[in-house]
Amino acid sequence: MVRDGPAGRVEEALPGGARQEPRARYLPIAEHGLIGDLHTVALVGTDGTIDWYCCPHFDSPSVFAAILDADRGGLFRISPDCDGWSSKQLYLPDTNILITRFLMPDGVGEVQDFMPPPRTGEAAHRHRMIRRVLAVRGQMRFVVDVAPRFDYARARHEVESTPYGALFRSPELQLALSTNCPLGIVDGDVRAQVALRAGETATFVLDRVQPGDPHVPYSDDGIAAEFDATVAFWRSWLRRSRYSGRWREPVHRSALTLKLLTYAPTGAIVAAPTTSLPEELGGARNWDYRYTWMRDAAFSLYALLRLGFTDEAGAFMEWLQERFRHAADYGESGPLQIMYGIDGRADLPEENLSHLEGYMGSAPVRIGNEAATQLQLDIYGELMDSVYLSNKYGLPLYHDGWMELTRNLEWLMDHWDQPDEGIWETRGGRRDFTYSRLMSWVAVERAIRIARQRGLPADLPRWMAVRDSIYHQIMERGWNPARRAFVQHYDTDVLDASLLLMPLCKFVAPTDPRWISTLDAITAELVSDSLVYRYNAEASPDGLAGREATFSMCSFWWVEALARAGRLDEARLAFEKMLTYANHVGLYSEEIGPTGEQLGNFPQAFTHLAMISAAYNLDRSLG
């Protein structure tokens, strides 16, 4: 039998063993919600399937990865055991508890999914995933499949029944499944069938356990207490938000998402919790985003501080300071990398997992990220802007930090005038990217501001001379008189959406004639009904195969640039249109495809950061 979920994912093989087309076996990327415990996350499909989960951390090997290979990846599915059902998904208001509701011929049921966050004073976090099935009306049957595939489906595992459920053992990880429901073991996986009447519940708890630990049962009262504590945690956290503008609901959902993408032990924020979700279906632009980018820092701190989340901003600032305190010996790529592991490690070797077919057949599947070794000079500007914002909003920089920071700055002032790979991490060779020069200017300009405001030691005459040299070079070589626009790199006429940040970082006035003509050119060439392309990849080859979709964070940058230029009606309409591209629970991936589909790693922190910034500044401009 073929059983279709709400978005068409085929649940079983065709009769006779025929194989479905790859795309028929996957939910759209947007058909997922997110749960997490500030160490890792899980993607939960609208059909009740967890098809992405890494344990115990964001960048640990996957346990469930059916989103990258429907047959081999592994999954944890709870879905109706009948035909003719549909589903809807929502978050319990002001929390990250996800509810998937199933509308069936004989009733209505739901699955509540959540992961309890760490508790204060907890000796070791349990990494607990709780799935509670409820019959709301009528009577119904659910089928439950737990099919882990450890280490990106590379490691074998054993499973055994226990008095309280089942135990999965792999060489590096052990998981306990606890439930009161009878379980069957089939080819190393677990299956259960659950029959419920209105008011009845069944609970499945997946715990990380250490070898030799006893399999401890749960109680209904204990699960109810975990649920209530998780609700209280998220609502208490969100009450600290100072945002009360026009777009409170989407801004708060973005804030909750950013919190989910935060690694509690270090304060680092991952760019996205997934790897290799494609920027183009069938294409090769598939990257691992489960790391922390230096350039996200300024945008993260700005968003967190604007919303009032000073603790999170302080933790992330501490993580950043650790990076420049322990910067590597100066080599060709400078003292800092563009990205690090969430624990601060610098080594992120890239590897292709050829045994996985990729989302909807989009290979390769990559883990690690080779771009970590690229030279991207813009990161120093984003780092210094982060320090400036933190210092401005009450998170002061201390003496030792200033000394290390100026050491990094001195390196930049000796090396800013050279080609690099640029913000988009192209693999087509180094260029004199205008954005890299822009952010080098930001680095020096913000350092001068901090030194003056705090009376800190600085070689101000030299710094000011370098700042002015960068400024004049951008105005002379980054400006293309024929296009009447600032361009992607020197000696080209190609436009680039990264330059939408020029007025946002105060390099030019938002109504400067040069900037207005640049904004008009970008609007005419890179914008399609509020959606913004990064650049024209055909006119400026980036060394990568495949085509570009529109980048959602660039769309929000465009909104903010319009607002600052005084084009409020245009900015507001574009912002409202962008809200329609969020998925059903308010999440954004990296890109939007030609027909409005979400593409790329999901959800992407940068997009949510840009949305918060655009909402805040547009709201302020509207008055």
Side-chain angles (χ1 to χ4, degrees), residues 55-71:
C55 185
H57 307 132
F58 289 104
D59 54 358
S60 297
S62 64
V63 174
F64 305 125
I67 200 169
L68 296 179
D69 194 310
D71 296 328

Side-chain angles (χ1 to χ4, degrees), residues 114 132 219-230:
F114 65 100
R132 187 161 66 171
S219 68
D220 290 339
D221 288 344
I223 294 299
E226 293 269 27
F227 181 90
D228 292 342
T230 304

